[in-house]
Amino acid sequence: MPSTFTTDDPLVSTEWLAAHLGEANVRVIDASFKMPGVLPLPIDDFLAAHIPGAVFFDVDAVSDHASSLPHMYPDAAQFARDVGALGVSSDDTVVVYDSGGWVAAPRAWWMFLSFGHSNVRVLNGGLKKWRAEGRPVESGKASPKPGRFTATFDPAYVRSEAQLVNNLSSHREQLIDARAANRFEGSVAEPRVGLRSGHIPGSRNLPYNNLFDAATGTMKPLDDLRAAFAGAGLDLAKPVVTTCGSGVSAAVLTLALYRLGVRGSALYDGSWSEWGLQDGPPVATGPA
């Protein structure tokens, strides 16, 4: 019988994956990501050690190559082609993980949801927890048999710059920024050269690494997540959009919101890589 998930919790445990690893319809994806210039490259880490049977999901490759902005969403046809090439079919159960630093696995998870694939979960603790428990890894390049994946994009999952410019006056949606506090406040230069410093006016700040336990790589309990969002000034009963440096770590907040039962949130795909451009919209500095 094909494996399916029994709850809508977006996280899945290492125990669950270990029990179902190798089943015909279970696909494991390593979506590890690092900022430009950080070595070794994620693909090199993957080649050195990954969960058996996993394939590598390159956030920069599964993107709109016509855009000057980093790793923007591709169209549905490209997403279907790219994940199909990774061996994923529409009837598969997908488990996404990263190195354990909670950066890009939630981005890949949100992309799958955005393109109509609900049978996807994030491995809680990622490769870090998997290895700490002494579970097996393998090395080398993956050679998956191509899958048949059908994608239909739902634009409600993402926001554009134009939509957020309109939101400056309507205040219909709350914005929460996953970057470190000093980047949000504009007290340090952005890691991407040429961008202004600061944040979208009216947005709140909750650094994404506040939501997981650095020692174990697991996401914090629901009560801690709820307290973190409340402390940032977010009302979970009102519409919310997550943002960050380039639309990747924002999905960590999105994942945490989803765990708290929030549905209908959206991710600002361009994030600060777009808003922070020299000729971009208004910028605020200082604390929220």
Side-chain angles (χ1 to χ4, degrees):
M1 182 177 178
S3 295
T4 55
F5 301 112
T6 56
T7 73
D8 66 351
D9 188 335
L11 296 183
V12 69
S13 69
T14 51
E15 290 80 10
W16 187 96
L17 182 57
H20 296 278
L21 194 65
E23 293 181 8
N25 75 311
V26 174
R27 296 288 175 266
V28 184
I29 292 175
D30 184 327
S32 298
F33 171 83
K34 297 178 183 179
M35 288 293 288
V38 178
L39 298 175
L41 296 173
I43 183 59
D44 293 328
D45 288 338
F46 174 85
L47 293 172
H50 54 264
I51 292 175
V55 294
F56 185 69
F57 182 102
D58 186 337
V59 172
D60 287 317
V62 188
S63 69
D64 178 4
H65 299 292
S67 175
S68 60
L69 299 171
H71 38 256
M72 295 289 283
Y73 263 57
D75 62 21
Q78 184 191 336
F79 187 81
R81 188 168 61 248
D82 288 350
V83 301
L86 294 178
V88 181
S89 295
S90 291
D91 57 352
D92 284 336
T93 294
V94 177
V95 177
V96 188
Y97 75 88
D98 55 35
S99 61
W102 283 101
V103 181
R107 164 76 181 201
W109 162 79
W110 194 242
M111 291 179 77
F112 271 97
L113 291 182
S114 302
F115 287 105
H117 190 83
S118 61
N119 197 15
V120 57
R121 298 293 186 273
V122 174
L123 182 65
N124 194 15
L127 187 62
K128 182 175 187 173
K129 186 172 188 288
W130 181 269
R131 298 193 77 172
E133 293 168 346
R135 302 189 189 276
V137 294
E138 63 183 15
S139 60
K141 186 178 180 180
S143 300
K145 178 184 176 182
R148 296 175 62 88
F149 192 90
T150 301
T152 302
F153 177 60
D154 184 347
Y157 281 79
V158 296
R159 292 291 179 271
S160 66
E161 180 183 85
Q163 288 172 307
L164 293 192
V165 167
N166 289 337
N167 194 65
L168 291 177
S169 55
S170 72
H171 304 294
R172 194 184 75 82
E173 295 181 312
Q174 305 168 99
L175 265 68
I176 185 116
D177 192 319
R179 293 177 299 158
N182 56 2
R183 290 176 64 190
F184 177 87
E185 295 174 3
S187 60
V188 297
E190 279 293 301
R192 289 182 173 84
V193 177
L195 296 179
R196 296 173 294 167
S197 296
H199 59 266
I200 300 172
S203 57
R204 302 288 183 169
N205 182 219
L206 177 54
Y208 75 92
N209 57 340
N210 290 356
L211 300 181
F212 62 87
D213 184 325
T216 63
T218 56
M219 187 162 268
K220 290 182 177 179
L222 296 181
D223 286 347
D224 292 357
L225 299 181
R226 195 173 287 108
F229 283 110
L234 202 72
D235 183 345
L236 298 183
K238 295 179 179 178
V240 58
V241 176
T242 61
T243 182
C244 60
S246 64
V248 176
S249 62
V252 181
L253 305 189
T254 303
L255 180 77
L257 289 166
Y258 202 94
R259 292 200 72 213
L260 291 171
V262 173
R263 298 296 182 268
S265 70
L267 180 145
Y268 175 24
D269 194 20
S271 283
W272 201 252
S273 293
E274 182 176 40
W275 195 280
L277 292 170
Q278 293 300 327
D279 58 350
V283 167
T285 57

